[in-house]
Amino acid sequence: MAGAQGSDSLVIIRQVFEELGGRKALFRQQKTEAGILSDQGEIAATEIMLQCIPVFLGKGIEPVTVNDLIQAAGVSRRTFYKYYPSKMAVLAATYRAGVDLMMGQLQMMASESASLRELVERSVGLFFDCHRYIGPLLRLLEEEAMRSESPLAVYRQQGYDAMVELFHDKMLDLGLEAPDRMVFYTLIWAMEAASLNLLKDTRHTREEVNRVREVVIRIVMNSLQPVGH
């Protein structure tokens, strides 16, 4: 049964990964920083990462060993260490990939959105769609990234910085007055807290999650464009 659940998780993870843009979008985002791996190396590293995610979901971070990950990935120890020096390196790569793919989608949405409301509705919708399909993975990564000593923490901050700049610049492009950047950060933190509370209580129905999404949209819009402003 555990093997079947792991297989199901991998199928869903791959589906969401491809819907967010897949390898091409991920490589395009990460190449802007440093293209240190060949294309084949990028493919191999990404495949190992995808195969390892269900292991973390099934066992949690602390109990997982490198041997567990090597077995799940179906590669030799030498091949594994060629791309990942530790299990936390795999987790950090997973988190960074998620941030990069989400930013790629948000950038596309920003370029396509004709209004602030459209961008807010689409971006919040994207977040809650991922929440719906890969909620356990989001919780695992979010809780780990919130620890200041975690290797994921730096990517969390980079992702939030990028989101803040994207929304700030989009408001200016639309001819709107952009608030202080701390307003954007506070909204992101509030959405993160709402997400974790939903994920910790699995009794929430889809309708309740959708209501939270609508509330988040209203809060964001009222904060960025107060009534009468």
Side-chain angles (χ1 to χ4, degrees), residues 130-166:
C130 290
H131 189 285
R132 173 183 172 188
Y133 290 109
I134 54 170
L137 177 59
L138 283 180
R139 177 182 176 184
L140 182 100
L141 294 174
E142 283 180 10
E143 290 182 336
E144 174 61 25
M146 291 174 74
R147 296 193 308 111
S148 59
E149 67 273 21
S150 171
L152 280 62
V154 64
Y155 299 123
R156 174 176 177 258
Q157 188 60 50
Q158 289 174 357
Y160 286 177
D161 291 345
M163 281 187 271
V164 167
E165 291 306 311
L166 183 146

Side-chain angles (χ1 to χ4, degrees), residues 3-182:
Q5 291 175 342
S7 178
D8 291 343
S9 296
L10 183 56
V11 169
I12 294 172
I13 289 164
R14 284 186 182 278
Q15 180 179 348
V16 173
F17 178 75
E18 294 303 330
E19 288 178 356
L20 289 175
R23 291 179 175 85
K24 288 184 179 179
L26 178 60
F27 298 165
R28 184 167 60 250
Q29 288 290 107
Q30 296 186 351
K31 288 289 187 182
T32 60
E33 293 185 17
I36 56 175
L37 290 178
S38 65
D39 289 344
Q40 286 301 109
E42 294 277 14
I43 292 171
T46 302
E47 185 62 29
I48 292 172
M49 178 191 74
L50 291 172
Q51 294 285 349
C52 289
I53 292 173
V55 182
F56 286 110
L57 288 175
K59 302 184 73 170
I61 297 173
E62 189 62 30
V64 168
T65 66
V66 169
N67 283 338
D68 292 329
L69 301 180
I70 290 172
Q71 182 177 1
V75 297
S76 67
R77 181 173 296 272
R78 179 179 179 180
T79 297
F80 180 89
Y81 280 116
K82 178 180 179 181
Y83 301 111
Y84 298 108
S86 67
K87 70 176 186 180
M88 291 306 297
V90 178
L91 203 65
T94 302
Y95 187 80
R96 181 188 174 187
V99 170
D100 288 343
L101 289 173
M102 288 286 282
M103 281 308 305
Q105 289 291 307
L106 289 174
Q107 288 163 357
M108 180 183 68
M109 290 176 178
S111 67
E112 296 175 348
S113 296
S115 67
L116 179 63
R117 172 167 289 279
E118 182 181 357
L119 175 59
V120 169
E121 289 179 346
R122 292 183 66 184
S123 57
V124 173
L126 172 66
F127 176 80
F128 278 95
D129 282 344
C130 290
H131 189 285
R132 173 183 172 188
Y133 290 109
I134 54 170
L137 177 59
L138 283 180
R139 177 182 176 184
L140 182 100
L141 294 174
E142 283 180 10
E143 290 182 336
E144 174 61 25
M146 291 174 74
R147 296 193 308 111
S148 59
E149 67 273 21
S150 171
L152 280 62
V154 64
Y155 299 123
R156 174 176 177 258
Q157 188 60 50
Q158 289 174 357
Y160 286 177
D161 291 345
M163 281 187 271
V164 167
E165 291 306 311
L166 183 146
F167 271 86
H168 181 273
D169 292 348
K170 182 62 178 180
M171 289 191 70
L172 296 181
D173 289 343
L174 291 169
L176 302 172
E177 181 181 349
D180 185 277
R181 284 173 172 79
M182 189 52 65

Side-chain angles (χ1 to χ4, degrees), residues 203-220:
R203 295 172 299 175
H204 289 294
T205 65
R206 183 182 304 177
E207 289 72 21
E208 289 172 327
V209 173
N210 286 337
R211 286 207 300 273
V212 173
R213 178 179 62 185
E214 294 305 315
V215 169
V216 168
I217 291 172
R218 288 202 300 271
I219 290 173
V220 173

